[in-house]
Amino acid sequence: MNILKTEIEIEKYIDTLKNRDNQVQEHVLKDVDKILKDVKDQGDRALLEYTYKFDGVLLKDFKVSREEMKRAYEKADKSYIDALKISIENIKNFHQRQLRNSWIDNGKEGIILGQQIRPLKRVGVYVPGGKATYPSSVLMNVIPTKVAGVEEVIMVTPPDREGKVNQVVLAAAYMAGVDNIYKVGGVQAIGALAYGTESIDKVDKIVGPGNIYVALAKKQVFGNVDIDMIAGPSEILVIGDEYANEKFVSADLISQAEHDELASSILVTTSEELGKKVQVELRRQIEERNRKEIIEKSLNDYGVIIVVKNMEKAIEVANKIGPEHLELMVKDPFVYLGQIKNAGSVFLGAYSPEPLGDYMAGPNHVLPTNTTARFFSPLGVDDFIKKSSYIYYSKEALENIGENIINFANVEGLDGHGNSIKVRLEE
């Protein structure tokens, strides 16, 4: 990891971050559009053909039975089940605090205003397959839907060559309360959720991680259904002062670099000495990791150590980057918490590492990336509800404000709007 000190170097690096996942070849989008169209036009037939083409298995039935889900749970290692139980409880408790209430206001005579909160009816959760095994993502995407009161949660995930679903993922889905699971992945799964097929009902919203094909497919169907976000490569930014432990900092930077060659791991520090110690410690720790090649490429291409003159500048840089994960590994983290404006999730102190948030703490780990923390929030209960407002005016209340409405309508050249009020005033 290189050490950056000048403003020009920092700005150039931030520009590199913003553009790292924009180099999408045209044929990818072309392929995505074709698969989506085929699923929309042909339904299950297209799902069968693409599952055979990409997953190497000819399925007779897409649906995973309730018995199969239960068997996966019963056969799972007890220590894994115990960990799932703790994680589920913590995630549920955190998200229950996000619940909103409907409200009604009749403060003014003859006027009643209010807002009705309702959950979405059906949500689709995409879960990657292949070498990926992410039961934590199952929990983070499914539990908020259940807390919100969503009627049906559908999970889609690609089968292996034997036509089976990852058993670890299946056990997590069973415990999280997924209603129906279908053995279909990739762009075709997104198409099935967005348009519906003979076997799979259309959903109101699609959430969950995936590769570039899945991400682009979600982007293409947005508007026909809602989606969570277009997730980019994983990110971590650690703000460390002279008190930070270089072993902890290095381990946390590696924890994100191992995700993906495009992942970004950043240390912003007021201590050049810490930066140099981290450079040495990273080399030592990388040698011990299973995903050494991925980590090295990620850190070489997108990992940096930024040395700044004070904490004020460190926070300014962090807010400009708006990282997915931000660790305040400083002596008094709560002193600076209020100054953090742009971050998906903030981890405070030496003993609150990012993986704590991935698995156990409770806040959602589905977070905005690629500087979008400036305007996006973590996945939560709000993503699975909708709001309707309602209005009641008595005749007297409308008469009191009617002329003002007519004036508005006239200014906008919409005399039909004005007439809707006028006929009532003349009654």
Side-chain angles (χ1 to χ4, degrees):
M1 290 174 72
N2 294 324
I3 293 180
L4 310 182
K5 295 182 182 179
T6 70
E7 199 71 40
I8 293 174
E9 288 176 322
I10 295 169
E11 289 296 332
K12 186 177 179 182
Y13 172 71
I14 293 174
D15 286 341
T16 300
L17 277 187
K18 291 177 180 177
N19 295 319
R20 71 194 140 139
D21 62 343
N22 289 338
Q23 302 168 3
V24 179
Q25 297 180 15
E26 274 185 38
H27 77 268
V28 175
L29 196 52
K30 204 171 178 182
D31 290 345
V32 167
D33 285 341
K34 182 181 186 311
I35 296 170
L36 289 175
K37 184 178 186 304
D38 287 346
V39 172
K40 187 176 182 180
D41 293 344
Q42 301 170 27
D44 280 357
R45 177 185 167 190
L47 295 186
L48 287 167
E49 289 177 358
Y50 282 116
T51 300
Y52 181 70
K53 179 179 180 180
F54 296 126
D55 301 307
V57 59
L58 187 60
L59 296 175
K60 293 181 179 179
D61 184 15
F62 296 111
K63 193 168 183 179
V64 176
S65 69
R66 198 71 191 166
E67 290 72 27
E68 190 177 347
M69 294 170 64
K70 189 177 180 182
R71 278 199 304 273
Y73 164 72
E74 291 172 342
K75 290 182 179 180
D77 185 82
K78 183 181 182 300
S79 61
Y80 169 57
I81 296 299
D82 289 343
L84 282 177
K85 286 178 180 177
I86 296 170
S87 181
I88 288 170
E89 182 179 2
N90 290 344
I91 296 168
K92 189 179 294 183
N93 288 342
F94 181 86
H95 287 83
Q96 281 174 339
R97 292 176 176 269
Q98 297 178 343
L99 282 168
R100 292 172 177 255
N101 294 319
S102 300
W103 57 269
I104 186 169
D105 176 24
N106 57 357
K108 293 182 180 180
E109 188 175 349
I111 300 174
I112 298 173
L113 303 176
Q115 181 173 269
Q116 182 74 44
I117 306 291
R118 288 188 175 90
L120 302 182
K121 181 179 181 182
R122 187 178 295 116
V123 169
V125 177
Y126 186 89
V127 177
K131 296 179 181 178
T133 306
Y134 298 130
S136 61
S137 289
V138 175
L139 304 187
M140 292 293 182
N141 282 280
V142 172
I143 292 172
T145 69
K146 292 296 179 178
V147 172
V150 171
E151 187 177 311
E152 182 183 4
V153 179
I154 294 174
M155 189 178 103
V156 291
T157 187
D160 61 21
R161 291 188 177 274
E162 295 180 355
K164 295 180 180 179
V165 173
N166 184 294
Q167 297 296 291
V168 170
V169 167
L170 212 54
Y174 178 79
M175 291 182 68
V178 173
D179 296 292
N180 290 296
I181 301 177
Y182 296 93
K183 295 178 281 189
V184 58
V187 176
Q188 59 271 26
I190 301 302
L193 294 174
Y195 305 125
T197 71
E198 296 89 337
S199 297
I200 302 174
D201 289 330
K202 175 180 176 177
V203 301
D204 301 312
K205 183 163 189 164
I206 301 172
V207 299
N211 61 19
I212 186 62
Y213 285 88
V214 170
L216 284 176
K218 285 166 68 177
K219 187 175 182 180
Q220 293 300 91
V221 300
F222 175 66
N224 191 69
V225 293
D226 192 15
I227 62 172
D228 46 2
M229 60 186 78
I230 305 297
S234 189
E235 305 164 346
I236 187 170
L237 186 151
V238 179
I239 295 179
D241 59 13
E242 66 271 26
Y243 300 100
N245 183 314
E246 68 271 16
K247 291 182 180 179
F248 294 178
V249 172
S250 300
D252 295 356
L253 295 175
I254 287 171
S255 75
Q256 294 309 291
E258 73 174 346
H259 271 296
D260 185 352
E261 290 91 344
L262 293 176
S264 61
S265 300
I266 306 162
L267 168 63
V268 181
T269 181
T270 54
S271 168
E272 188 168 354
E273 182 182 356
L274 174 65
K276 290 177 179 177
K277 286 180 179 179
V278 166
Q279 283 183 315
V280 174
E281 183 63 24
L282 279 170
R283 286 193 287 271
R284 186 189 71 78
Q285 290 194 26
I286 288 170
E287 291 300 318
E288 302 171 352
R289 303 278 67 84
N290 295 332
R291 298 166 71 90
K292 177 184 173 183
E293 292 77 16
I294 293 174
I295 294 167
E296 285 181 331
K297 181 158 180 55
S298 170
L299 294 180
N300 287 336
D301 291 351
Y302 298 105
V304 293
I305 296 167
I306 299 174
V307 179
V308 294
K309 58 185 178 181
N310 53 39
M311 281 297 295
E312 182 181 11
K313 184 63 179 177
I315 290 170
E316 179 188 322
V317 170
N319 282 328
K320 191 171 287 188
I321 292 174
E324 179 184 17
H325 310 99
L326 190 154
E327 292 188 357
L328 276 173
M329 210 174 296
V330 296
K331 185 178 181 181
D332 298 307
F334 285 95
V335 170
Y336 304 103
L337 177 58
Q339 298 174 44
I340 302 299
K341 297 177 181 177
N342 302 324
S345 190
V346 182
F347 301 80
L348 300 160
Y351 295 95
S352 306
E354 186 280 333
L356 177 67
D358 274 349
Y359 301 119
M360 284 288 165
N364 210 289
H365 78 198
V366 181
L367 304 168
T369 60
N370 211 23
T371 78
T372 60
R374 292 176 294 113
F375 49 83
F376 272 138
S377 302
L379 192 74
V381 171
D382 277 356
D383 291 287
F384 304 106
I385 62 172
K386 57 183 180 177
K387 311 175 191 78
S388 299
S389 55
Y390 55 88
I391 301 166
Y392 167 81
Y393 268 59
S394 67
K395 181 180 180 182
E396 293 75 15
L398 184 63
E399 287 173 343
N400 289 337
I401 204 170
E403 290 299 331
N404 292 304
I405 301 172
I406 292 170
N407 287 335
F408 252 120
N410 289 340
V411 168
E412 294 186 351
L414 300 172
D415 69 316
H417 281 59
N419 186 61
S420 173
I421 303 299
K422 189 176 179 181
V423 295
R424 286 168 168 80
L425 298 184
E426 292 174 347
E427 269 291 311

